[in-house]
Amino acid sequence: MNDTIVAISTALGVGAISIVRLSGKEAIKIVNSCFKGKDLSKVKSHTINYGHIIDKDEIIDEVLVSIMKEPKTYTTEDVVEINCHGGVISTKRILETMLTHGARLAEPGEFTKRAFLNGRIDLVKSEAVMDIIDSKSEEANKIALSQLSGSTSNMIKKFRESLKQLLASIEVNIDYPEYYDIEVVTKEKISKSIEEMKKDLEKVINESKNTTLIKEGIKTVIVGRPNVGKSSILNKLLEQEKAIVTDIAGTTRDIVEGEISLDGILLNIIDTAGIRSTDDIVEKIGVEKSLSMIDAADLVVVVLNNNEELTAEDQEILEKTKAKERIIVINKNDLSKKLDISRYNLKNVVETNANTTDGIKNLKKKIIELFQLETIKTKDYTYLTNARQIALAKKAYQSLTEAEAGINNDLPIDMVEIDLKNTFDFLGEIIGETYSEEILDHLFANFCVGK
């Protein structure tokens, strides 16, 4: 990290302002060498300075340059941000000028990586930065902000502090058994401590299962045979004419997607091709795709036609979706009833039609109820938010379980201590107290350039 990095930190394209950011020991010197205005080496930290970026004698753009000197910066290094006019040409010219004057093009997430390596933020906070950028719903953004504030990191640190105290007590009793004034850590006391930690960690892991749903949304697939009204339901949910609606069976031949926010949670809705036997090659591919989408869905909305008797295709769909979270929508309830599903004992049934919005409102309520969205919204936002964090928490929990088994099987206390140390290390990996370069490279490779 001895070199100075540079990147465009705003979306490249037409806009009012673009920002080119530098970080490193030479950041101020590099910008100063091609800046026409005040001597940037002499200005105060956290000031904005007017001038021009020049290349030899040519003015590239009129700019405002923000000078932020170490250590009170995002990376804890000297950071310079060049605010120029938005647009591809001027922004790229400024970037090229910085590169020719000694800066290196930053890798994805390298600014945040430096903030982590320099100790300004931990690994959980680093991941929260990208989660804020990628947030697709209000709730996902709240979780990311909570992580960035340190609530999740503090929770993990408390777990580790409890383990540290327990391990220290065990070490003292092992190394200095002759000191009677030191509290003797019996296996019963260790077992009780492990039991309490397991209970707390299990709660964290279970509640963190909601984060995938909050961050990614509910993948909702609308299925049914042709012409039962799937596309109409999609359009009413999205409140726009996203899918083509006709009386001709097989109109929808490929998936049609849309998104809505439901109680702050994203609903990713997919309207699929009508499921039926067909000789049409294109429609057949659409049907196969529809069937495959069911397996990947978090929620399946099965649409049946109120004014038609249940068909073999309807029965096939009901059979295929019975193990999934699903809602049965009986559409066209404004027409004469011919559908009889009484023998199936179906749950979560909603009736709709194309002329009113009452059924769609009831459908939304049923989704909220099924996924307990109101409960999720009111819970504490101290979550583990990705597969890496949850996997490590599970490993820590497993090590606690093994330590508990060791106590119950009357193993020597130093053997139990090994499992407790493993738990301590796994929790440390979550916040980045211990890490490998490979993990860091993989993690920050998913960031955008300039962040």
Side-chain angles (χ1 to χ4, degrees):
M1 296 195 298
N2 294 322
D3 53 358
T4 296
I5 56 174
V6 63
I8 300 168
S9 292
T10 48
L12 195 59
V14 177
I17 295 171
S18 288
I19 297 175
V20 178
R21 176 188 287 169
L22 297 89
S23 179
K25 292 180 179 178
E26 302 293 316
I28 297 173
K29 180 181 177 182
I30 289 170
V31 177
N32 202 33
S33 66
C34 47
F35 178 71
K36 187 176 182 182
K38 291 182 180 179
D39 184 349
L40 298 178
S41 65
K42 297 178 180 179
V43 302
K44 292 182 179 180
S45 181
H46 294 78
T47 59
I48 299 175
N49 305 274
Y50 170 79
H52 296 83
I53 295 296
I54 59 173
D55 183 11
K56 297 178 181 176
D57 294 327
E58 180 188 359
I59 292 176
I60 297 175
D61 198 4
E62 183 181 31
V63 297
L64 292 173
V65 177
S66 300
I67 299 293
M68 292 162 279
K69 297 180 181 179
E70 64 169 347
K72 294 183 178 181
T73 68
Y74 183 67
T75 61
T76 76
E77 304 171 335
D78 285 345
V79 171
V80 180
E81 291 185 350
I82 303 168
N83 296 260
C84 63
H85 290 97
V88 176
I89 302 300
S90 59
T91 308
K92 280 191 171 182
R93 282 288 307 278
I94 290 174
L95 176 65
E96 290 166 3
T97 303
M98 298 304 114
L99 292 171
T100 57
H101 282 74
R104 170 178 65 77
L105 189 63
E107 298 173 357
E110 192 168 0
F111 289 91
T112 305
K113 185 177 182 180
R114 289 192 174 200
F116 166 70
L117 292 173
N118 289 330
R120 182 183 171 274
I121 56 177
D122 61 32
L123 211 52
V124 169
K125 290 181 181 179
S126 299
E127 290 171 310
V129 170
M130 202 61 209
D131 284 344
I132 289 172
I133 295 170
D134 288 341
S135 292
K136 297 177 183 178
S137 69
E138 182 182 340
E139 297 303 305
N141 190 60
K142 285 179 180 178
I143 289 174
L145 286 171
S146 176
Q147 282 208 324
L148 193 59
S149 72
S151 62
T152 302
S153 299
N154 290 336
M155 174 188 68
I156 297 299
K157 286 174 183 176
K158 284 180 181 177
F159 273 117
R160 297 187 88 222
E161 186 59 34
S162 297
L163 277 165
K164 190 187 293 183
Q165 290 176 9
L166 183 59
L167 286 165
S169 298
I170 292 171
E171 286 285 347
V172 168
N173 278 267
I174 290 173
D175 295 340
Y176 305 102
E178 67 275 15
Y179 288 95
Y180 295 105
D181 58 334
I182 298 172
E183 181 186 3
V184 177
V185 182
T186 64
K187 289 186 176 181
E188 185 180 342
K189 289 178 181 177
I190 297 172
S191 182
K192 186 178 179 181
S193 296
I194 291 173
E195 186 181 341
E196 290 173 356
M197 278 187 271
K198 277 187 66 181
K199 184 179 178 182
D200 291 340
L201 190 55
E202 185 177 27
K203 183 175 180 287
V204 170
I205 293 169
N206 288 337
E207 289 186 352
S208 294
K209 291 176 183 177
N210 290 325
T211 56
T212 301
L213 184 148
I214 294 170
K215 286 175 64 178
E216 304 298 329
I218 303 170
K219 190 172 184 180
T220 306
V221 177
I222 304 175
V223 297
R225 58 187 173 82
N227 224 22
V228 294
K230 299 185 302 298
S231 297
S232 296
I233 290 169
L234 173 73
N235 290 341
K236 279 189 171 290
L237 281 169
L238 299 178
E239 297 181 2
Q240 60 174 295
E241 297 300 312
K242 185 88 172 183
I244 299 170
V245 179
T246 73
D247 292 331
I248 303 170
T251 300
T252 303
R253 296 186 169 209
D254 201 352
I255 61 173
V256 181
E257 300 182 67
E259 295 179 349
I260 62 168
S261 180
L262 197 59
D263 257 30
I265 306 297
L266 198 67
L267 206 66
N268 302 303
I269 312 170
I270 302 170
D271 176 27
T272 61
I275 297 173
R276 67 169 178 176
S277 298
T278 177
D279 293 326
D280 186 301
I281 295 174
V282 177
E283 188 181 357
K284 191 172 183 178
I285 293 171
V287 171
E288 289 172 355
K289 192 179 288 186
S290 298
L291 292 170
S292 68
M293 294 299 293
I294 292 172
D295 295 329
D298 300 312
L299 171 65
V300 180
V301 176
V302 178
V303 184
L304 303 175
N305 193 343
N306 180 65
N307 74 326
E308 290 182 340
E309 294 180 358
L310 203 68
T311 67
E313 288 156 341
D314 290 327
Q315 293 176 46
E316 181 186 349
I317 294 167
L318 289 173
E319 179 64 25
K320 184 166 180 61
T321 60
K322 67 180 182 181
K324 303 288 294 185
E325 290 281 13
R326 71 178 179 185
I327 296 174
I328 308 298
V329 174
I330 299 175
N331 197 32
K332 306 180 185 180
N333 69 340
D334 53 333
L335 302 178
S336 59
K337 184 177 179 65
K338 295 181 181 178
L339 184 70
D340 181 11
I341 55 172
S342 57
R343 69 180 185 274
Y344 283 91
N345 193 28
L346 298 174
K347 298 178 181 179
N348 303 318
V349 179
V350 175
E351 294 190 4
T352 63
N353 63 67
N355 299 317
T356 66
T357 59
D358 292 344
I360 295 300
K361 288 178 183 176
N362 291 333
L363 175 56
K364 289 179 179 179
K365 286 180 183 176
K366 187 61 70 175
I367 296 170
I368 291 169
E369 176 189 314
L370 195 61
F371 285 88
Q372 299 179 320
L373 300 188
E374 290 178 343
T375 306
I376 290 172
K377 278 190 68 177
T378 57
K379 283 187 177 178
D380 179 20
Y381 289 102
T382 308
Y383 289 106
L384 303 174
T385 62
N386 58 46
R388 183 192 73 85
Q389 295 171 11
I390 294 172
L392 286 168
K394 287 181 177 178
K395 286 182 179 179
Y397 182 85
Q398 181 59 35
S399 290
L400 281 175
T401 302
E402 288 168 4
E404 186 177 51
I407 292 287
N408 294 335
N409 293 326
D410 205 29
L411 291 180
I413 197 66
D414 53 345
M415 297 292 290
V416 175
E417 187 184 20
I418 292 172
D419 291 319
L420 293 176
K421 284 180 177 178
N422 287 337
T423 303
F424 185 80
D425 290 340
F426 286 134
L427 293 173
E429 284 186 56
I430 293 176
I431 57 177
E433 290 290 333
T434 54
Y435 61 87
S436 69
E437 286 297 326
E438 185 180 355
I439 288 173
L440 290 189
D441 291 343
H442 176 73
L443 192 154
F444 289 105
N446 295 319
F447 276 57
C448 52
V449 174
K451 191 58 182 175

